[in-house]
Amino acid sequence: MGPKAASGFYLGRKPAVLLALLLAALLLALAVLGALYGRCLQEAEELRAAAAPASPTAGPQEEGAGCCPPTPSPGSTRPPGVWDEPRLPRALLPLHYELRLWPRVSPGQPGPFVFCGQVNITVRCAQDTATVLLHSSELELWGAAVRGPLLEGPGGGAGGSVEVAELWLDERQEYAVLELRRSLRAGGRYVLQLSFRGPLSEDLDGLFLTRYTDQGQSSMLIASQLEPTYARTVYPCFDEPAMKATFNIIIVHHPSYVALSNMPAIDTSEMKDENGSLWTVTTFNTTLKMSTYLTALVVCDFDYITRTERGNEIRIWGRKEAIKNGHADYALNITGPLFSFLEDLFNISYPLSKTDLVALPDFAAGAMENWGLMTFQESTLMYIPRDQFGSKKAMICLIVSHEIGHQWFGNLVTMNWWNDLWLNEGFASYFEYIGASYVEPRLPLNKFFYYHMLQPVLREDKEIAARSLSAREEKINGTFSLVGLFDIFTYSKGASIVWMLSSFLTERLFIKALSSYLKAFSFSSVNQDDLWTHIQMVVDAQNEVHLPASVKKIMDSWTCQNGFPVLTLNLSTGIISQKQFYNKRTENNTTYNYTWIVPISWIRNGSAQPLVWLDKSSKMFPEMQISDSEHDWILLNVNMVGYYRVNYDPLHLKRLAQVLEKDPKAIPVVNRLHLIDDAFTLAQAGYIEIEYAFELTKYLAKEDEMFVWYSVLSNLIPDNLENILNNYELYPFLKKYLLKRMLPIYHYYASIIRQNVDTLADDYFDQIHFEKFINTACWLGLQDCLNLSSELYTKWMENPDHEIPFIIKRTICCYGVAMGSDKEWDFAWKMYNHHNSTGIDKDIMLFAMSCTRESWLLYRYLQYSLNNSLLSSDNISIVISNVAATEIGQRIAWEFVTENWLLLNERHRNGILQKLLGVMENFVNTDLQIQELQLFYNTTLDKDLQIATTETLQFAKFANKERRKLIARFTDWLRKNIDD
């Protein structure tokens, strides 16, 4: 499953008064809805009682378990007991679920919507107990019964029943508690029976309903998303990942819909409710043993395309118009080969006979790996054939590969508890790149992994808030804390640690160990020590790879500590030392004294050297001492397989700069990028002087990899500083210095753009990075770049079918408008409003219209944002931000916001307040502007917001001061090196 972003807001006093009035109105509305909801629930239960076929395990209903069952009593006043613990006791272990679900939804039906159902859970009693705990949240429960102990042998009928004295709910721990008249006996098997019902919301978690449009018609579908702990909102269950069981699932649904679940459907029948309405009953085959969070269902009116791969029927489901237009073809073409590739790699067959991949029009999780029924947000699965290769196609390939990787890591073998979630997500994230590079060889694995996984998490894993990959089980409890685990550390750091592990073990031993691990724990659950044990077994059985410590000791140093090391290398002595890397803003707060066991791959003068290990805070490596010759050099962390940064001593950093100037190819491309990125990062954090980073850019006239250019330009000219830098003395020096180095590669790509841009389709990084390069060339005033923009934009104006290449459309439209007049601006406005414009097209045109150099056009544009018939209110902060980010628009945007603040505040209230405040902080470039903004805050905002904004402004003031210092140093360096 993909990570979710967190958001929040701060409420002032005046808005709070309004909120109170709104709450009063809401309570009244809820009372009315409650009456309707109760009526709907009563009707649902009457239909269930009338229409449900007899269950072979159904027991007698308790008194009051009819259409209006008594609400179980709350547990808030209960004495202390096992229900106070955040984890389920292990007195009962689930073996099998008989689950029947009935979402009460018909096409065109108005809400509110409900679902109801029954569940019979066969359990084995591990120790005597008179208290049964199940997870249940947001459900009404009734009809609780316990049958058993079951007779052993074929048939396994009930040998009796155990009376339920009381059913009550503990909302804090989300438990349903069954108090029994007598104890269940250890060793016996019992069946727990419960009926339930709950609201079918549109929240996109649990069992939810979502609306969409297909072939011009409004439609609805029902789907589930149960990870991490939403299964308990759909049916009472043992909702912990280690408590696996098999499932028989029955779905009752409207006949116009098709029902999908984890397993193939084995029977469909019909039934009528008491009103004579017809319903379809779909029964599915028994699942494999699996965790509750993997149970899944979709009830929809979709079409599909299919193919079979090694006995696995693969179906891609989606909106009918998307299937008809071929949008699912790419996903179908790669899914089978990905399954086969991983089957062969692990020597473990995929155990299911069918796999459905469903494209949901609205799905907050992004994608979910449910066994046999994977679900995706539509844009992450559907590929429009007319799109060029590039980021969209690669994204689909990555996401599909990730979810297929989960079929082994997560579904077949699952972590015991969420504290080891990285065993699921880290490995799935690693193999998504291995799989994607297999089915799309045009995606270079090393560059691809470094850019998307390793580099981003290295930038994040330096704050005090950073956490370790694995933690003690007792530290991770509650849905809120569990959802927070689906973050960049679990995914990207987890994958990066696996990347490093596979490198020092060698791929052969790594895959051999994983195959042993997966086979040993199939249909079971593990913690990370189980993985280390199986890797150790493989290491001990060979003589190729020798480790300095046990696998557990090595890997625990990476998974049980937060952060990562920076290695400092002194090449005159050969001493390498390590310390935790930190951001200078948190320097005084860092009290850790971590040591990692670090695998160091390295090359000397371009030749690979044997792997060495740094297993203490400091260690001498005599083989790394170098001579005074400029031809003698060393580079650590070859191809960036290690999760650390390297701080070379200043003399050697200069020597590496000379190597780059003489022959850039002597250093692998990933290391060229990483060398530069490390230098700028270390300089920002105070480890080295910034001038050493600048030295590494001198060679760029010989750099032909857009992959590297993007990183250099992002460090030298961040997007949010373009309108600032051209106001400093720095700009003319930077222009001369960079254009001199950019021209060779610029002319190469410009000729391709003019002749046949499709030739770039085979290079992923050209597709995603060239935009930054050409934007910089135009920003620096390169005349050919400006001419190219006008040329392509004019051709588009003359013939709207003559599309601008998408990979540079944002820049070309911006400078096409900038170099033109109101004619060019009006065309951009026309294309923004064109009926065929996609969301991305509209975003590009919103940006382009802010690029005009005519002040009156910018003012008119801002005025348009006040008119909801011209621009959606959701776009007002985007328009203001885009205008404020331009050189001439900064002051215009500031005046517009201050002059129209009362109107903006009245119309949008808190919904836009935070966005506007964030936009206005972009105006802050000088201390005078800080004072001006502070005065505005003091006269317009409530006192509580004034405090928060004052703190933000103080940080902006500090950042502005530091920026001026850096710009001065950069200017001085450029002045001295401009002709080099």
Side-chain angles (χ1 to χ4, degrees), residues 388-390 393 440-444 447 749 752 756-768 807:
Q388 295 174 329
F389 181 65
K393 196 172 184 181
E440 287 289 359
R442 292 176 292 181
L443 300 176
K447 292 161 63 176
Y749 281 99
I752 290 177
N756 183 13
V757 71
D758 291 341
T759 59
L760 296 179
D762 287 341
D763 194 307
Y764 172 78
F765 289 101
D766 282 351
Q767 291 258 320
I768 66 172
I807 63 171

PDB file of all heavy atoms in Angstrom, residues 388-390 393 440-444 447 749 752 756-768 807:
ATOM      1  N   GLN A 388       3.278   9.677 -24.485  1.00  0.00           N
ATOM      2  CA  GLN A 388       4.635   9.212 -24.728  1.00  0.00           C
ATOM      3  C   GLN A 388       5.080   8.359 -23.546  1.00  0.00           C
ATOM      4  O   GLN A 388       4.427   8.320 -22.508  1.00  0.00           O
ATOM      5  CB  GLN A 388       5.566  10.408 -24.911  1.00  0.00           C
ATOM      6  CG  GLN A 388       5.247  11.226 -26.163  1.00  0.00           C
ATOM      7  CD  GLN A 388       6.096  12.474 -26.246  1.00  0.00           C
ATOM      8  OE1 GLN A 388       6.483  13.041 -25.237  1.00  0.00           O
ATOM      9  NE2 GLN A 388       6.383  12.903 -27.455  1.00  0.00           N
ATOM     10  N   PHE A 389       6.205   7.670 -23.705  1.00  0.00           N
ATOM     11  CA  PHE A 389       6.714   6.840 -22.602  1.00  0.00           C
ATOM     12  C   PHE A 389       6.936   7.741 -21.395  1.00  0.00           C
ATOM     13  O   PHE A 389       6.082   8.451 -21.017  1.00  0.00           O
ATOM     14  CB  PHE A 389       7.985   6.120 -23.030  1.00  0.00           C
ATOM     15  CG  PHE A 389       8.541   5.236 -21.955  1.00  0.00           C
ATOM     16  CD1 PHE A 389       7.836   4.136 -21.517  1.00  0.00           C
ATOM     17  CD2 PHE A 389       9.754   5.507 -21.389  1.00  0.00           C
ATOM     18  CE1 PHE A 389       8.349   3.318 -20.538  1.00  0.00           C
ATOM     19  CE2 PHE A 389      10.275   4.693 -20.393  1.00  0.00           C
ATOM     20  CZ  PHE A 389       9.565   3.599 -19.982  1.00  0.00           C
ATOM     21  N   GLY A 390       7.978   7.812 -20.743  1.00  0.00           N
ATOM     22  CA  GLY A 390       8.168   8.797 -19.704  1.00  0.00           C
ATOM     23  C   GLY A 390       7.558   8.407 -18.382  1.00  0.00           C
ATOM     24  O   GLY A 390       7.291   7.252 -18.091  1.00  0.00           O
ATOM     25  N   LYS A 393       4.059   6.122 -17.792  1.00  0.00           N
ATOM     26  CA  LYS A 393       4.175   4.694 -18.078  1.00  0.00           C
ATOM     27  C   LYS A 393       5.100   4.023 -17.063  1.00  0.00           C
ATOM     28  O   LYS A 393       4.819   2.913 -16.586  1.00  0.00           O
ATOM     29  CB  LYS A 393       4.702   4.495 -19.493  1.00  0.00           C
ATOM     30  CG  LYS A 393       4.510   3.091 -20.044  1.00  0.00           C
ATOM     31  CD  LYS A 393       4.876   3.056 -21.521  1.00  0.00           C
ATOM     32  CE  LYS A 393       4.598   1.701 -22.136  1.00  0.00           C
ATOM     33  NZ  LYS A 393       4.974   1.671 -23.563  1.00  0.00           N
ATOM     34  N   GLU A 440      10.775  -3.442 -18.500  1.00  0.00           N
ATOM     35  CA  GLU A 440      11.092  -2.231 -19.263  1.00  0.00           C
ATOM     36  C   GLU A 440      12.609  -2.010 -19.208  1.00  0.00           C
ATOM     37  O   GLU A 440      13.101  -1.227 -18.404  1.00  0.00           O
ATOM     38  CB  GLU A 440      10.359  -1.012 -18.690  1.00  0.00           C
ATOM     39  CG  GLU A 440       8.870  -0.993 -18.966  1.00  0.00           C
ATOM     40  CD  GLU A 440       8.542  -0.708 -20.430  1.00  0.00           C
ATOM     41  OE1 GLU A 440       9.475  -0.514 -21.231  1.00  0.00           O
ATOM     42  OE2 GLU A 440       7.344  -0.687 -20.766  1.00  0.00           O
ATOM     43  N   PRO A 441      13.367  -2.705 -20.036  1.00  0.00           N
ATOM     44  CA  PRO A 441      14.830  -2.597 -19.979  1.00  0.00           C
ATOM     45  C   PRO A 441      15.339  -1.174 -20.200  1.00  0.00           C
ATOM     46  O   PRO A 441      16.490  -0.882 -19.884  1.00  0.00           O
ATOM     47  CB  PRO A 441      15.292  -3.541 -21.101  1.00  0.00           C
ATOM     48  CG  PRO A 441      14.149  -4.477 -21.313  1.00  0.00           C
ATOM     49  CD  PRO A 441      12.918  -3.679 -21.031  1.00  0.00           C
ATOM     50  N   ARG A 442      14.492  -0.303 -20.750  1.00  0.00           N
ATOM     51  CA  ARG A 442      14.913   1.081 -20.970  1.00  0.00           C
ATOM     52  C   ARG A 442      15.053   1.850 -19.653  1.00  0.00           C
ATOM     53  O   ARG A 442      15.552   2.971 -19.638  1.00  0.00           O
ATOM     54  CB  ARG A 442      13.898   1.801 -21.860  1.00  0.00           C
ATOM     55  CG  ARG A 442      13.866   1.282 -23.288  1.00  0.00           C
ATOM     56  CD  ARG A 442      12.778   1.952 -24.102  1.00  0.00           C
ATOM     57  NE  ARG A 442      11.443   1.589 -23.670  1.00  0.00           N
ATOM     58  CZ  ARG A 442      10.321   2.038 -24.236  1.00  0.00           C
ATOM     59  NH1 ARG A 442      10.398   2.897 -25.239  1.00  0.00           N
ATOM     60  NH2 ARG A 442       9.140   1.643 -23.814  1.00  0.00           N
ATOM     61  N   LEU A 443      14.613   1.259 -18.560  1.00  0.00           N
ATOM     62  CA  LEU A 443      14.742   1.896 -17.248  1.00  0.00           C
ATOM     63  C   LEU A 443      16.038   1.412 -16.604  1.00  0.00           C
ATOM     64  O   LEU A 443      16.094   0.287 -16.092  1.00  0.00           O
ATOM     65  CB  LEU A 443      13.547   1.543 -16.366  1.00  0.00           C
ATOM     66  CG  LEU A 443      12.179   1.969 -16.896  1.00  0.00           C
ATOM     67  CD1 LEU A 443      11.063   1.467 -15.978  1.00  0.00           C
ATOM     68  CD2 LEU A 443      12.088   3.472 -17.053  1.00  0.00           C
ATOM     69  N   PRO A 444      17.105   2.217 -16.621  1.00  0.00           N
ATOM     70  CA  PRO A 444      18.390   1.779 -16.056  1.00  0.00           C
ATOM     71  C   PRO A 444      18.296   1.637 -14.540  1.00  0.00           C
ATOM     72  O   PRO A 444      18.016   2.599 -13.824  1.00  0.00           O
ATOM     73  CB  PRO A 444      19.348   2.916 -16.449  1.00  0.00           C
ATOM     74  CG  PRO A 444      18.475   4.114 -16.652  1.00  0.00           C
ATOM     75  CD  PRO A 444      17.150   3.605 -17.132  1.00  0.00           C
ATOM     76  N   LYS A 447      20.448   3.987 -11.865  1.00  0.00           N
ATOM     77  CA  LYS A 447      19.998   5.380 -11.887  1.00  0.00           C
ATOM     78  C   LYS A 447      18.560   5.487 -11.388  1.00  0.00           C
ATOM     79  O   LYS A 447      18.201   6.408 -10.635  1.00  0.00           O
ATOM     80  CB  LYS A 447      20.115   5.940 -13.307  1.00  0.00           C
ATOM     81  CG  LYS A 447      21.536   6.104 -13.799  1.00  0.00           C
ATOM     82  CD  LYS A 447      21.618   6.204 -15.318  1.00  0.00           C
ATOM     83  CE  LYS A 447      20.899   7.413 -15.853  1.00  0.00           C
ATOM     84  NZ  LYS A 447      21.080   7.546 -17.323  1.00  0.00           N
ATOM     85  N   TYR A 749      20.238  18.556 -27.741  1.00  0.00           N
ATOM     86  CA  TYR A 749      18.821  18.308 -27.470  1.00  0.00           C
ATOM     87  C   TYR A 749      17.910  19.245 -28.257  1.00  0.00           C
ATOM     88  O   TYR A 749      16.813  18.846 -28.668  1.00  0.00           O
ATOM     89  CB  TYR A 749      18.541  18.423 -25.967  1.00  0.00           C
ATOM     90  CG  TYR A 749      18.954  17.189 -25.202  1.00  0.00           C
ATOM     91  CD1 TYR A 749      20.167  17.135 -24.516  1.00  0.00           C
ATOM     92  CD2 TYR A 749      18.142  16.064 -25.183  1.00  0.00           C
ATOM     93  CE1 TYR A 749      20.545  15.995 -23.822  1.00  0.00           C
ATOM     94  CE2 TYR A 749      18.510  14.915 -24.488  1.00  0.00           C
ATOM     95  CZ  TYR A 749      19.718  14.893 -23.823  1.00  0.00           C
ATOM     96  OH  TYR A 749      20.084  13.769 -23.144  1.00  0.00           O
ATOM     97  N   ILE A 752      17.203  17.818 -31.569  1.00  0.00           N
ATOM     98  CA  ILE A 752      16.263  16.703 -31.483  1.00  0.00           C
ATOM     99  C   ILE A 752      14.837  17.223 -31.342  1.00  0.00           C
ATOM    100  O   ILE A 752      13.905  16.718 -31.990  1.00  0.00           O
ATOM    101  CB  ILE A 752      16.626  15.788 -30.287  1.00  0.00           C
ATOM    102  CG1 ILE A 752      17.929  15.039 -30.564  1.00  0.00           C
ATOM    103  CG2 ILE A 752      15.497  14.806 -29.997  1.00  0.00           C
ATOM    104  CD1 ILE A 752      18.393  14.181 -29.415  1.00  0.00           C
ATOM    105  N   ASN A 756      12.852  15.588 -34.292  1.00  0.00           N
ATOM    106  CA  ASN A 756      12.023  14.420 -33.958  1.00  0.00           C
ATOM    107  C   ASN A 756      12.133  14.123 -32.470  1.00  0.00           C
ATOM    108  O   ASN A 756      13.004  13.361 -32.037  1.00  0.00           O
ATOM    109  CB  ASN A 756      12.459  13.197 -34.770  1.00  0.00           C
ATOM    110  CG  ASN A 756      11.576  11.993 -34.505  1.00  0.00           C
ATOM    111  OD1 ASN A 756      10.498  12.115 -33.907  1.00  0.00           O
ATOM    112  ND2 ASN A 756      12.019  10.826 -34.930  1.00  0.00           N
ATOM    113  N   VAL A 757      11.244  14.714 -31.702  1.00  0.00           N
ATOM    114  CA  VAL A 757      11.305  14.564 -30.249  1.00  0.00           C
ATOM    115  C   VAL A 757      11.034  13.134 -29.804  1.00  0.00           C
ATOM    116  O   VAL A 757      11.414  12.733 -28.694  1.00  0.00           O
ATOM    117  CB  VAL A 757      10.301  15.538 -29.579  1.00  0.00           C
ATOM    118  CG1 VAL A 757       8.875  15.077 -29.823  1.00  0.00           C
ATOM    119  CG2 VAL A 757      10.581  15.679 -28.087  1.00  0.00           C
ATOM    120  N   ASP A 758      10.404  12.323 -30.664  1.00  0.00           N
ATOM    121  CA  ASP A 758      10.088  10.945 -30.295  1.00  0.00           C
ATOM    122  C   ASP A 758      11.340  10.112 -30.038  1.00  0.00           C
ATOM    123  O   ASP A 758      11.262   9.067 -29.395  1.00  0.00           O
ATOM    124  CB  ASP A 758       9.253  10.274 -31.387  1.00  0.00           C
ATOM    125  CG  ASP A 758       7.847  10.855 -31.467  1.00  0.00           C
ATOM    126  OD1 ASP A 758       7.417  11.487 -30.484  1.00  0.00           O
ATOM    127  OD2 ASP A 758       7.194  10.694 -32.511  1.00  0.00           O
ATOM    128  N   THR A 759      12.478  10.557 -30.524  1.00  0.00           N
ATOM    129  CA  THR A 759      13.707   9.790 -30.288  1.00  0.00           C
ATOM    130  C   THR A 759      14.109   9.820 -28.815  1.00  0.00           C
ATOM    131  O   THR A 759      14.947   9.029 -28.390  1.00  0.00           O
ATOM    132  CB  THR A 759      14.866  10.333 -31.136  1.00  0.00           C
ATOM    133  OG1 THR A 759      15.091  11.712 -30.801  1.00  0.00           O
ATOM    134  CG2 THR A 759      14.554  10.218 -32.625  1.00  0.00           C
ATOM    135  N   LEU A 760      13.526  10.732 -28.041  1.00  0.00           N
ATOM    136  CA  LEU A 760      13.820  10.782 -26.603  1.00  0.00           C
ATOM    137  C   LEU A 760      12.974   9.792 -25.808  1.00  0.00           C
ATOM    138  O   LEU A 760      13.161   9.644 -24.603  1.00  0.00           O
ATOM    139  CB  LEU A 760      13.578  12.195 -26.053  1.00  0.00           C
ATOM    140  CG  LEU A 760      14.473  13.308 -26.604  1.00  0.00           C
ATOM    141  CD1 LEU A 760      14.097  14.648 -25.971  1.00  0.00           C
ATOM    142  CD2 LEU A 760      15.944  13.008 -26.356  1.00  0.00           C
ATOM    143  N   ALA A 761      12.042   9.136 -26.486  1.00  0.00           N
ATOM    144  CA  ALA A 761      11.105   8.261 -25.776  1.00  0.00           C
ATOM    145  C   ALA A 761      11.794   7.087 -25.103  1.00  0.00           C
ATOM    146  O   ALA A 761      11.256   6.499 -24.166  1.00  0.00           O
ATOM    147  CB  ALA A 761      10.031   7.754 -26.739  1.00  0.00           C
ATOM    148  N   ASP A 762      12.973   6.717 -25.578  1.00  0.00           N
ATOM    149  CA  ASP A 762      13.659   5.559 -25.012  1.00  0.00           C
ATOM    150  C   ASP A 762      14.464   5.882 -23.764  1.00  0.00           C
ATOM    151  O   ASP A 762      14.977   4.978 -23.117  1.00  0.00           O
ATOM    152  CB  ASP A 762      14.590   4.927 -26.057  1.00  0.00           C
ATOM    153  CG  ASP A 762      13.817   4.189 -27.132  1.00  0.00           C
ATOM    154  OD1 ASP A 762      12.639   3.857 -26.876  1.00  0.00           O
ATOM    155  OD2 ASP A 762      14.373   3.956 -28.215  1.00  0.00           O
ATOM    156  N   ASP A 763      14.618   7.156 -23.430  1.00  0.00           N
ATOM    157  CA  ASP A 763      15.407   7.532 -22.257  1.00  0.00           C
ATOM    158  C   ASP A 763      14.510   8.174 -21.211  1.00  0.00           C
ATOM    159  O   ASP A 763      14.048   9.301 -21.356  1.00  0.00           O
ATOM    160  CB  ASP A 763      16.532   8.495 -22.637  1.00  0.00           C
ATOM    161  CG  ASP A 763      17.564   8.617 -21.521  1.00  0.00           C
ATOM    162  OD1 ASP A 763      17.172   8.901 -20.374  1.00  0.00           O
ATOM    163  OD2 ASP A 763      18.767   8.431 -21.797  1.00  0.00           O
ATOM    164  N   TYR A 764      14.278   7.421 -20.154  1.00  0.00           N
ATOM    165  CA  TYR A 764      13.384   7.880 -19.089  1.00  0.00           C
ATOM    166  C   TYR A 764      13.848   9.192 -18.481  1.00  0.00           C
ATOM    167  O   TYR A 764      13.059  10.111 -18.251  1.00  0.00           O
ATOM    168  CB  TYR A 764      13.301   6.790 -18.018  1.00  0.00           C
ATOM    169  CG  TYR A 764      12.573   7.198 -16.764  1.00  0.00           C
ATOM    170  CD1 TYR A 764      11.180   7.229 -16.736  1.00  0.00           C
ATOM    171  CD2 TYR A 764      13.272   7.532 -15.609  1.00  0.00           C
ATOM    172  CE1 TYR A 764      10.507   7.589 -15.581  1.00  0.00           C
ATOM    173  CE2 TYR A 764      12.605   7.897 -14.448  1.00  0.00           C
ATOM    174  CZ  TYR A 764      11.223   7.923 -14.444  1.00  0.00           C
ATOM    175  OH  TYR A 764      10.556   8.292 -13.298  1.00  0.00           O
ATOM    176  N   PHE A 765      15.144   9.303 -18.211  1.00  0.00           N
ATOM    177  CA  PHE A 765      15.641  10.501 -17.527  1.00  0.00           C
ATOM    178  C   PHE A 765      15.680  11.714 -18.450  1.00  0.00           C
ATOM    179  O   PHE A 765      15.531  12.844 -17.989  1.00  0.00           O
ATOM    180  CB  PHE A 765      17.007  10.223 -16.889  1.00  0.00           C
ATOM    181  CG  PHE A 765      16.899   9.323 -15.699  1.00  0.00           C
ATOM    182  CD1 PHE A 765      17.211   7.977 -15.794  1.00  0.00           C
ATOM    183  CD2 PHE A 765      16.443   9.817 -14.498  1.00  0.00           C
ATOM    184  CE1 PHE A 765      17.080   7.147 -14.694  1.00  0.00           C
ATOM    185  CE2 PHE A 765      16.298   8.989 -13.389  1.00  0.00           C
ATOM    186  CZ  PHE A 765      16.620   7.651 -13.488  1.00  0.00           C
ATOM    187  N   ASP A 766      15.871  11.507 -19.746  1.00  0.00           N
ATOM    188  CA  ASP A 766      15.703  12.620 -20.673  1.00  0.00           C
ATOM    189  C   ASP A 766      14.274  13.146 -20.603  1.00  0.00           C
ATOM    190  O   ASP A 766      14.035  14.356 -20.608  1.00  0.00           O
ATOM    191  CB  ASP A 766      16.010  12.175 -22.105  1.00  0.00           C
ATOM    192  CG  ASP A 766      17.515  12.087 -22.361  1.00  0.00           C
ATOM    193  OD1 ASP A 766      18.289  12.521 -21.500  1.00  0.00           O
ATOM    194  OD2 ASP A 766      17.893  11.572 -23.432  1.00  0.00           O
ATOM    195  N   GLN A 767      13.337  12.233 -20.520  1.00  0.00           N
ATOM    196  CA  GLN A 767      11.925  12.609 -20.506  1.00  0.00           C
ATOM    197  C   GLN A 767      11.572  13.442 -19.271  1.00  0.00           C
ATOM    198  O   GLN A 767      10.850  14.428 -19.371  1.00  0.00           O
ATOM    199  CB  GLN A 767      11.064  11.350 -20.532  1.00  0.00           C
ATOM    200  CG  GLN A 767      11.111  10.587 -21.826  1.00  0.00           C
ATOM    201  CD  GLN A 767       9.877  10.829 -22.674  1.00  0.00           C
ATOM    202  OE1 GLN A 767       8.776  10.904 -22.173  1.00  0.00           O
ATOM    203  NE2 GLN A 767      10.072  10.965 -23.970  1.00  0.00           N
ATOM    204  N   ILE A 768      12.067  13.057 -18.118  1.00  0.00           N
ATOM    205  CA  ILE A 768      11.628  13.739 -16.901  1.00  0.00           C
ATOM    206  C   ILE A 768      12.539  14.891 -16.481  1.00  0.00           C
ATOM    207  O   ILE A 768      12.129  15.736 -15.692  1.00  0.00           O
ATOM    208  CB  ILE A 768      11.466  12.751 -15.725  1.00  0.00           C
ATOM    209  CG1 ILE A 768      12.820  12.154 -15.306  1.00  0.00           C
ATOM    210  CG2 ILE A 768      10.469  11.656 -16.066  1.00  0.00           C
ATOM    211  CD1 ILE A 768      12.735  11.329 -14.035  1.00  0.00           C
ATOM    212  N   ILE A 807       7.174  16.818 -22.728  1.00  0.00           N
ATOM    213  CA  ILE A 807       8.296  16.852 -21.788  1.00  0.00           C
ATOM    214  C   ILE A 807       8.830  18.270 -21.573  1.00  0.00           C
ATOM    215  O   ILE A 807       9.529  18.527 -20.594  1.00  0.00           O
ATOM    216  CB  ILE A 807       9.449  15.925 -22.239  1.00  0.00           C
ATOM    217  CG1 ILE A 807      10.037  16.384 -23.570  1.00  0.00           C
ATOM    218  CG2 ILE A 807       8.982  14.496 -22.278  1.00  0.00           C
ATOM    219  CD1 ILE A 807      11.300  15.631 -23.950  1.00  0.00           C
TER     220      ILE A 807
END
